[in-house]
Amino acid sequence: FLDFQSVTTALETEIQRAQQDARKLSIGIVGAMKAGKSSFLNACIFGGKDVLPKAATPMTAALTRIRYSETPQATVHFYERKDWDKIEDNAQKYDANLNNAYDTYCRAHAGSTERTLSLQEYERTLFHQNVSEVLKSAKELTQMVGSNSAILEHLGDADVLDGDIMAKLQDYVGARGRFTPIVNYVELEVNLPELEDLEIVDTPGLNDPI
């Protein structure tokens, strides 16, 4: 009987916890990339201040979850290794497709009086118009890492930021942020009582290639 009572008490506690979680309303802000979702939330929730991180490019748009906390902080979650492996694989496919397409272009222009574009010119003009956004964005992310491959040691980890959160976030979501290319999503906890029963999710965009 005592064992049964212990189990039922624990179960009641779990049910109460689940009910409390279920009562928190989760609101997702959804739209196309660069449509102004972050600006909309900054205006509605943060009095027009640029609190929410904005993407350096559409390829580096990070999902942001916003909720209440008495102590403001941000938790930055990086891609898992398997996610990054897929990105690198797509970047390699980009290179392979580019080389094959350029070879075809050069053969087609052999003997032509027209000037043959260099590989860089061909990539920037003709190739970029036809390659998929998935491959293009994967190539961009790997280029952003470049020689800074040491940041890949952080894959699967999370960094907790406190103090001057917005200044520190620039290193994670800014155009020249050291960790920007490997950021998966950000959890932003702010001391706004209006958010006590809410969680707001600022999404990267419906047509986000990553």
Side-chain angles (χ1 to χ4, degrees):
F1 175 78
L2 292 177
D3 288 343
F4 178 76
Q5 190 177 45
S6 175
V7 170
T8 54
T9 301
L11 183 59
E12 287 176 350
T13 302
E14 289 297 322
I15 291 173
Q16 290 172 359
R17 185 179 295 119
Q19 288 174 332
Q20 290 171 355
D21 292 341
R23 280 199 295 268
K24 180 172 286 190
L25 180 63
S26 185
I27 302 174
I29 307 301
V30 182
M33 289 186 299
K34 312 300 284 183
K37 297 183 297 296
S38 297
S39 299
F40 168 75
L41 285 173
N42 282 334
C44 289
I45 301 175
F46 302 111
K49 297 179 181 178
D50 288 334
V51 173
L52 290 178
K54 297 180 182 179
T57 74
M59 310 330 180
T60 59
L63 180 145
T64 306
R65 298 171 61 183
I66 311 132
R67 53 178 172 255
Y68 170 79
S69 173
E70 290 185 6
T71 306
Q73 70 174 25
T75 305
V76 182
H77 297 264
F78 299 116
Y79 285 121
E80 297 291 333
R81 167 54 70 176
K82 60 181 176 63
D83 298 323
W84 188 255
D85 286 345
K86 187 171 183 179
I87 290 172
E88 288 187 329
D89 181 58
N90 282 330
Q92 291 172 2
K93 289 179 181 177
Y94 173 97
D95 290 334
N97 289 355
L98 171 60
N99 291 330
N100 290 337
Y102 185 65
D103 286 345
T104 302
Y105 162 80
C106 289
R107 286 195 300 270
H109 282 72
S112 173
T113 56
E114 295 182 6
R115 185 180 74 85
T116 302
L117 298 174
S118 69
L119 177 62
Q120 291 75 20
E121 291 172 328
Y122 177 81
E123 178 183 15
R124 189 172 59 251
T125 55
L126 301 178
F127 185 69
H128 257 223
Q129 298 173 9
N130 301 310
V131 67
S132 77
E133 288 296 328
V134 172
L135 300 188
K136 189 189 301 183
S137 60
K139 180 64 177 177
E140 178 176 331
L141 290 179
T142 56
Q143 285 178 326
M144 290 178 71
V145 170
S147 60
N148 189 22
S149 58
I151 67 170
L152 299 181
E153 296 175 3
H154 295 267
L155 292 173
D157 294 339
D159 283 359
V160 178
L161 314 178
D162 53 18
D164 190 353
I165 296 172
M166 301 319 298
K168 293 178 180 178
L169 268 178
Q170 290 307 306
D171 208 21
Y172 296 86
V173 297
R176 293 184 174 84
R178 180 186 174 203
F179 298 103
T180 295
I182 66 168
V183 171
N184 188 7
Y185 68 98
V186 177
E187 292 180 295
L188 187 60
E189 299 180 12
V190 293
N191 190 357
L192 283 177
E194 297 87 349
L195 297 179
E196 279 195 61
D197 297 319
L198 296 176
E199 178 184 67
I200 296 177
V201 181
D202 183 19
T203 63
L206 289 171
N207 47 340
D208 170 41
I210 297 295

